[in-house]
Amino acid sequence: MKKMFLTGLWLWGVLLPLMAVRIEHGPYLQNVGEREATVVWISDKPSVGWIEIAPDDGTHFYAEKRTQLYDTRIGIKVTDRIHTIRLTGLTPGTRYRYRVCVQEVLSHKHHEVYYGQIASTDVYGKKPLTFTTNDISKPEVSFAMVNDIHGRNDVLETMIGQCDLAQTDLFLFNGDMVSVSETEEQIFSGFMDKATELFAGSIPMYYCRGNHETRGPMAPYFKDYFNPRAEELFYMFRQGPVCFVVLDCGEDKPDSDVEYYGITAYDAYRTQQAEWLRTALKSDLYTQALYKVIVCHMPPFGGWHGELDIAQKFFPLLKEAKPDVYLCGHLHEYIRKNAGEEGIPFPIIVNSNNTLLKAHADGNALDIRIYDLEGKETDRLHIEK
Ligand SMILES: [Fe+2]
């Protein structure tokens, strides 16, 4: 009897940790602005989620009860695997520490809710995660861009490894990070777990969707993971002297193409987006920035329908608004067009699937450099003010 009891106890001791709720992916930052930031993380079981925020003031995270904010919708704590919390009312240019937590919801019947175990990010064995809000008065900014990774974690790791993370204010993921959106696991095993491991919990990543993310049964749920609390996947933000305008290119073939099985409506979407762009390019956020950078996965040339539609709907507006540079990818080869070529008054950089773009902007210049996988500089664009 005693042996049976001890065996049961041992089994319970082994099984309980295996059954405990876990944070499977994240946390990672989205939509970091001057006064807001969204944090995303995914648990392996349906649970409620919350974040604890602390100032970066030198006190221990355990010094006092930290501000807790729950993932809620319409006044109810959300029970889900995907947890997103939009923090608002933050101070520009300020570093915050944070911990994310989940508590499993075992059952919810009538008005009764029964909870299971809690999991959280570590603030004891290692330093709490931190992030810094944007600051438009910051005199300089450094950023890096990768694109067309297509699930190649090793290439992503090599490129991120070439960045001085302490000196990188933000990353741009300029589309086609996966080849197809079949499962959630593809997103995370393809690039996002690696990005989280390397930087994405502490350094903001701004995602510009490519055309490959639009393919597959998971495609309609892209926004559950990226830009989850923003209105759209096209948006703009400021950091330091740069205004970034992120556009969402849609697919490359006509919506009527047999490859899309009638599921796409990108012509109408790009028309709607052009209306937003018309207003965005006249906003103070854009016009008062020293540098204006357009981020869009597809170039306006190449002759396919998506590229032609971008040229027709976005480019008349961009020609008028004269950004400093247009950054894209999609073609899997490096191409640079200088200002004035083909009647376009600003340079276009088509970054390849195997090159990293690093840039630095200050009061004097926007300096953009391209590096191959060996870390050798292969091109440089220097835009002086
Ligand atoms: Fe693409």
Side-chain angles (χ1 to χ4, degrees):
M1 189 67 183
K2 189 180 171 192
K3 195 176 170 191
M4 267 177 66
F5 175 75
L6 286 173
T7 308
L9 209 61
W10 180 83
L11 271 172
W12 190 242
V14 170
L15 289 176
L16 198 63
L18 292 176
M19 287 157 53
V21 66
R22 287 186 306 111
I23 295 172
E24 261 190 328
H25 308 293
Y28 56 91
L29 301 162
Q30 287 285 279
N31 300 102
V32 176
E34 281 202 296
R35 297 188 182 276
E36 68 169 279
T38 296
V39 182
V40 183
W41 69 103
I42 288 90
S43 55
D44 67 337
K45 295 184 175 74
S47 48
V48 292
W50 69 96
I51 192 166
E52 294 167 355
I53 289 283
D56 190 31
D57 58 4
T59 59
H60 198 280
F61 201 86
Y62 288 150
E64 59 183 277
K65 184 177 188 292
R66 300 303 182 179
T67 304
Q68 286 185 344
L69 293 160
Y70 275 85
D71 178 12
T72 62
R73 304 278 196 290
I74 54 171
I76 304 164
K77 291 175 185 172
V78 174
T79 299
D80 202 345
R81 289 183 50 252
I82 309 172
H83 305 281
T84 62
I85 292 185
R86 180 173 174 238
L87 304 164
T88 56
L90 304 176
T91 306
T94 303
R95 201 156 98 123
Y96 294 88
R97 295 176 292 168
Y98 72 98
R99 164 165 79 169
V100 298
C101 309
V102 291
Q103 184 166 26
E104 185 180 358
V105 174
L106 298 171
S107 78
H108 190 161
K109 283 181 189 148
H110 306 297
H111 60 284
E112 293 172 348
V113 185
Y114 294 93
Y115 296 98
Q117 289 187 295
I118 293 175
S120 70
T121 50
D122 191 0
V123 294
Y124 178 69
K126 53 187 179 183
K127 285 185 177 171
L129 289 158
T130 62
F131 69 89
T132 303
T133 47
N134 293 355
D135 179 5
I136 66 169
S137 65
K138 192 174 173 334
E140 54 187 321
V141 63
S142 291
F143 63 93
M145 184 183 94
V146 299
N147 50 275
D148 299 278
I149 293 297
H150 288 279
R152 296 172 303 153
N153 268 313
D154 53 335
V155 172
L156 181 66
E157 187 163 16
T158 301
M159 290 181 178
I160 303 301
Q162 291 178 23
C163 301
D164 179 353
L165 295 180
Q167 300 298 323
T168 306
D169 293 294
L170 64 100
F171 281 88
L172 301 169
F173 280 4
N174 198 351
D176 288 5
M177 299 299 288
V178 286
S179 293
V180 68
S181 299
E182 296 275 6
T183 62
E184 178 189 271
E185 194 50 34
Q186 258 172 338
I187 295 172
F188 289 99
S189 64
F191 68 98
M192 205 54 220
D193 279 343
K194 182 55 71 180
T196 302
E197 176 195 323
L198 297 172
F199 74 88
S202 302
I203 303 173
M205 178 274 282
Y206 299 86
Y207 206 136
C208 175
R209 187 171 67 153
N211 58 307
H212 277 267
E213 283 93 349
T214 69
R215 298 176 186 177
M218 270 293 288
Y221 306 103
F222 180 88
K223 206 170 165 306
D224 291 351
Y225 301 89
F226 303 107
N227 286 25
R229 296 294 186 96
E231 281 183 30
E232 299 285 357
L233 294 179
F234 45 87
Y235 55 100
M236 63 200 295
F237 66 97
R238 277 281 304 270
Q239 171 61 308
V242 182
C243 177
F244 296 87
V245 180
V246 179
L247 298 172
D248 188 17
C249 65
E251 264 293 7
D252 51 7
K253 302 171 202 68
D255 287 326
S256 57
D257 195 88
V258 290
E259 281 204 26
Y260 302 146
Y261 285 80
I263 200 76
T264 67
Y266 289 115
D267 276 351
Y269 181 64
R270 282 184 291 253
T271 302
Q272 172 208 346
Q273 197 174 159
E275 284 313 305
W276 170 83
L277 183 62
R278 188 187 305 280
T279 307
L281 296 174
K282 290 184 177 130
S283 67
D284 288 348
L285 203 66
Y286 181 84
T287 57
Q288 291 181 8
L290 187 58
Y291 303 100
K292 291 114 173 170
V293 173
I294 309 297
V295 185
C296 182
H297 174 70
M298 277 188 213
F301 50 80
W304 290 37
H305 177 76
E307 297 154 343
L308 293 170
D309 210 37
I310 284 168
Q312 190 197 330
K313 290 174 181 167
F314 299 165
F315 265 66
L317 304 171
L318 294 177
K319 281 180 184 173
E320 210 177 297
K322 293 188 179 57
D324 291 279
V325 67
Y326 179 100
L327 304 178
C328 53
H330 183 58
L331 299 179
H332 293 206
E333 65 173 313
Y334 183 79
I335 300 168
R336 174 171 148 192
K337 303 242 182 201
N338 292 316
E341 273 185 56
E342 297 168 23
I344 298 169
F346 48 84
I348 296 174
I349 289 179
V350 184
N351 193 40
S352 93
N353 55 334
N354 288 320
T355 48
L356 166 73
L357 180 151
K358 286 202 278 186
H360 177 82
D362 59 22
N364 301 316
L366 169 60
D367 192 61
I368 299 173
R369 296 168 192 248
I370 308 296
Y371 298 89
D372 67 15
L373 292 178
E374 279 72 52
K376 184 168 150 269
E377 187 181 311
T378 56
D379 196 17
R380 183 184 181 193
L381 175 63
H382 190 75
I383 302 164
E384 287 193 358
K385 282 288 168 183

